[in-house]
Amino acid sequence: MPAVSMTSLSSRGGARGSLGARGSFSHVRRVRVSASSSPASGASRSRVMMAAVEAPLGEDVSAEKSFALGPMTSQADRPEKRLQVEVVPNLAENTTAIRCLDWDRDRFDIEFALAEGTTYNSYLIQTAEATCLVDTSHEKFRDAYWAALDPLLNGKPITHLVVSHTEPDHSGLVKDVVDKFPEVKVYGTKVCLTFLKDLVSEGQTFDGVTVKGGEADNVDLGDGHTLEFVAAPNLHWPDTMFTLDRKTGIAYTCDAFGQHFCTEDPYDTNVDELLDHYRFYYDCLMRPNSRSVLTALRKTKEWEYDTIAVGHGPILRKSMTMWKDYYATWSEAALEAAAGRAAVIYEHGYGYAERLSQIFAKGANKAGIETEFIDLTAVDDQEVIEALHGASGVVIFSPSSAVAETKLSTAFAASSSKRKIFVAESCGGDDEPVDSILRPYVESGCDCPVDPLRIKTAEPTPLDYQKYEEAGTDFAQAMTKKVAATARKDAMNAGIAKSLGRIHSGLYVVAVEAEGGVRTAMIASWVTQASFEPLGITVAVAKDRAVESYMQVGDGFVLNILEEGKADATMKHFLKRYAPGVDRFEGIDYDSTPCGPVLGNALAHLQCCVRSRLDTGDHWVIYAEVIEGAVSNPQGRTASHRRVVATYY
């Protein structure tokens, strides 16, 4: 069994709101598990290989510590995916973190690329009077999670369970907790507790305590630990809430302020290393709910804390002001830049409504539209009317027939004939027919710029998720078309526009092929070599391009270089406006490579891997390392692109 040496990081001191931290990396006690086979059945099970040495409180931890580590477990359905559990004692007084490390997860919500895996964090508060678990983990960590948690409990029951929200990667083991400890009190919002009833074992009941926020809901765990709650819906789940332990100054925020970054260091030790991941996570999961982000920050502005115990990624301790200010600044900028607002109506807990609506919103946000979510299970008629007021677009994800009967008529009554409308299935098995929902809107004069979407399989595929995101972008572009064209023209001085238009470039097709058969492409002209070592190029990609979602750090793509005199047909094909989800390569001769499609008529091609992205306003500048390349016609010349003015491509 190999020994891995870890050098401790120095402790950081400080007052709340500054560079505060308790303990250091050297306090981490790691539990790694491996799969062993039962001789009788061959079934895989998890067993603890070794618990590393824990430095007692007060001990000098500056010396190097060695840990004996066994092999990691593997994901049952994908053996190449490594899983691991990390226990962080002494996060604060009576408080332990349990971090489930998903080292090789490369996608989140299908289309969000993960360059550095992710973690699922839960927390344990133990006093003389109570044992409180804040969130659980993904069910794929079941054996390893309990192997780490059981020794910490030392035979004592979990008396309190705080469920920050019911997304499966954080509530996947709630059923286990309720089964093991039927007397446990489960704290969550009203929507959360309603949904949890479907997650526990059939016939199993639990003692649910509805949290609304406010002093009356505070929970005294003993030894000075008092929990305070604030509802924070739509971050990024409709039933989300934040929790504050007043004694330790820890704010438990689940998805908010997190990042998909898997590392052995449980803390935000290297802020510079984390910022890109922090921003990408915000853009994918929080930006669609910018207004809700600002509301949550306002509700918690009086909270005093020096640690943000997030649901994903490193625990934040270095600067609470910095991390919060980023969220405030980005959210305010998103709302200020929005060219309109679309109300997104869905039914929480029904089918795949949450996933599909969030992905649609991501596509809409890329094209400059603010989205506001309306959960039909959590609002009354007056709240529906207020949410629709001022919205220039209405998006409806088909609810169950029972909910549709009582709620959708209110939404229709509150909508004017000048609004744009979009309807899509939620893949719940009892969806109200999309045509029935759409008909009264069309008959009243509403514009339906994007055809309704339907799902033909039992659950959405990667191609469906691609289709829903592209539909969001198309819908938003329809809402902003006139405004965007005028704004671009007015933003540029005529002389500058003509001068800038004299910058000539080549013509290229950027092509990607992602998991699940997803293929997409775009015509590019803003391309240049950027470095010799490593050999790199940059490509400018508009933020509302479909291909942009598949050009995250770590993703591959192919730059197809078009040939002079042979580019017209290819240009015409890829410049067409396609319906959401349509395969851009249908009828096109191409070869698949690890990085994406190589066109049969390309003069040359480069296989590339994205290394970094630079935000330049309405475009991303993608820097990529060139991995492979070939020229198909050594005598050919690159097709060139000349413009008269720079107000168009």
Side-chain angles (χ1 to χ4, degrees), residues 345-547:
I345 300 171
Y346 72 104
E347 178 184 351
H348 171 60
Y350 177 69
Y352 293 83
E354 276 93 359
R355 286 275 186 265
L356 295 170
S357 61
Q358 289 282 343
I359 287 169
F360 178 93
K362 179 175 180 281
N365 295 157
K366 286 167 61 172
I369 288 296
E370 176 199 352
T371 46
E372 182 173 357
F373 289 81
I374 304 172
D375 171 19
L376 293 177
T377 66
V379 295
D380 57 30
D381 289 351
Q382 184 58 38
E383 289 172 315
V384 171
I385 294 170
E386 291 174 358
L388 286 171
H389 179 71
S392 49
V394 177
V395 178
I396 302 175
F397 287 84
S398 182
S400 60
S401 297
V403 170
E405 285 183 17
T406 59
K407 294 288 187 178
L408 288 187
S409 58
T410 301
F412 173 69
S415 300
S416 71
S417 60
K418 296 182 180 180
R419 291 189 173 118
K420 297 190 183 300
I421 178 73
F422 171 78
V423 181
E425 289 184 345
S426 298
C427 198
D430 185 35
D431 290 18
E432 181 74 2
V434 293
D435 292 334
S436 299
I437 297 173
L438 182 61
R439 186 178 300 112
Y441 287 90
V442 174
E443 290 176 349
S444 70
C446 289
D447 178 25
C448 180
V450 180
D451 290 339
L453 293 184
R454 298 171 174 83
I455 296 177
K456 299 178 181 179
T457 51
E459 62 182 58
T461 66
L463 290 171
D464 289 318
Y465 286 113
Q466 177 195 17
K467 182 166 60 176
Y468 274 65
E469 181 180 333
E470 291 179 7
T473 301
D474 288 354
F475 185 75
Q477 288 173 339
M479 291 176 63
T480 63
K481 186 175 181 180
K482 293 181 180 179
V483 175
T486 302
R488 183 188 301 174
K489 185 176 181 180
D490 293 345
M492 197 177 300
N493 173 277
I496 294 176
K498 291 178 181 179
S499 299
L500 192 57
R502 268 36 180 200
I503 297 178
H504 294 169
S505 58
L507 287 172
Y508 314 89
V509 174
V510 173
V512 301
E513 188 165 12
E515 185 178 351
V518 172
R519 285 185 294 271
T520 189
M522 75 166 202
I523 296 292
S525 58
W526 298 357
V527 177
T528 188
Q529 183 173 340
S531 61
F532 286 119
E533 182 57 43
L535 188 58
I537 63 170
T538 59
V539 183
V541 181
K543 289 183 175 178
D544 61 356
R545 294 287 189 180
V547 73

Side-chain angles (χ1 to χ4, degrees), residues 558-575:
V558 170
L559 183 73
N560 290 278
I561 302 168
L562 301 185
E563 185 174 353
E564 186 177 67
K566 299 181 180 180
D568 288 352
T570 302
M571 291 275 291
K572 183 177 180 180
H573 176 85
F574 286 106
L575 285 174

Side-chain angles (χ1 to χ4, degrees), residues 44-369:
S44 178
R45 62 183 177 87
S46 295
R47 60 187 176 88
V48 177
M49 294 299 297
M50 178 62 68
V53 178
E54 176 186 344
L57 286 176
E59 179 181 326
D60 179 9
V61 296
S62 60
E64 185 178 272
K65 299 291 182 183
S66 294
F67 295 77
L69 302 172
M72 303 182 189
T73 57
S74 294
Q75 189 170 317
D77 58 338
R78 301 184 70 177
E80 76 279 8
K81 302 296 185 182
R82 299 169 299 158
L83 307 178
Q84 191 173 18
V85 173
E86 176 182 73
V87 175
V88 187
N90 308 318
L91 176 64
E93 185 177 351
N94 302 325
T95 307
T96 302
I98 305 171
R99 303 176 70 236
C100 294
L101 311 181
D102 198 344
W103 289 102
D104 302 305
R105 185 165 182 178
D106 54 5
R107 289 276 161 189
F108 195 84
D109 287 1
I110 301 299
E111 85 287 13
F112 302 150
L114 305 184
E116 301 291 344
T118 192
T119 74
Y120 316 95
N121 305 336
S122 70
Y123 303 90
L124 189 67
I125 306 169
Q126 296 170 289
T127 71
E129 302 173 22
T131 299
C132 177
L133 185 65
V134 181
D135 294 320
T136 62
S137 186
H138 198 294
E139 64 179 355
K140 64 184 173 184
F141 282 92
R142 176 173 281 111
D143 291 344
Y145 183 83
W146 284 106
L149 179 58
D150 279 337
L152 296 171
L153 296 177
N154 196 26
K156 293 184 178 180
I158 295 175
T159 57
H160 299 68
L161 173 62
V162 175
V163 181
S164 300
H165 72 206
T166 52
E167 191 176 13
D169 56 338
H170 300 290
S171 65
L173 300 178
V174 167
K175 173 183 177 296
D176 296 48
V177 175
V178 174
D179 284 346
K180 284 175 177 280
F181 308 105
E183 302 299 319
V184 65
K185 289 184 179 294
V186 182
Y187 294 82
T189 63
K190 179 181 178 181
V191 176
C192 167
L193 296 180
T194 299
F195 192 55
L196 281 180
K197 293 176 183 177
D198 296 326
L199 294 183
V200 299
S201 301
E202 185 175 353
Q204 174 70 287
T205 60
F206 59 88
D207 186 2
V209 181
T210 301
V211 171
K212 298 179 181 178
E215 200 75 22
D217 288 333
N218 290 357
V219 176
D220 184 359
L221 298 177
D223 297 343
H225 294 270
T226 299
L227 301 185
E228 182 178 340
F229 306 100
V230 160
N234 299 322
L235 299 183
H236 77 118
W237 216 244
D239 55 354
T240 299
M241 69 179 186
F242 294 170
T243 304
L244 173 69
D245 184 342
R246 290 177 174 176
K247 179 172 184 176
T248 58
I250 297 179
Y252 300 92
T253 61
C254 203
D255 279 350
F257 306 105
Q259 54 199 290
H260 291 309
F261 188 81
C262 187
T263 175
E264 291 181 346
D265 186 347
Y267 302 117
D268 55 340
T269 304
N270 187 343
V271 172
D272 290 340
E273 182 182 33
L274 301 178
L275 284 177
D276 284 346
H277 298 278
Y278 189 71
R279 177 60 191 265
F280 175 59
Y281 180 98
Y282 170 87
D283 285 341
C284 289
L285 299 180
M286 297 296 149
R287 189 175 184 273
N289 302 286
S290 299
R291 194 175 298 275
S292 297
V293 169
L294 295 175
T295 299
L297 290 173
R298 175 179 53 78
K299 287 182 177 180
T300 57
K301 67 179 181 180
E302 302 301 327
W303 280 11
E304 294 184 7
Y305 53 95
D306 64 3
T307 300
I308 300 179
V310 295
H312 294 290
I315 298 163
L316 305 181
R317 302 186 114 168
K318 276 212 163 183
S319 174
M320 298 303 97
T321 300
M322 179 190 72
W323 296 121
K324 290 187 295 182
D325 282 354
Y326 275 131
Y327 262 43
T329 300
W330 295 336
S331 297
E332 289 166 355
L335 294 181
E336 184 178 347
R341 178 169 63 88
V344 180
I345 300 171
Y346 72 104
E347 178 184 351
H348 171 60
Y350 177 69
Y352 293 83
E354 276 93 359
R355 286 275 186 265
L356 295 170
S357 61
Q358 289 282 343
I359 287 169
F360 178 93
K362 179 175 180 281
N365 295 157
K366 286 167 61 172
I369 288 296

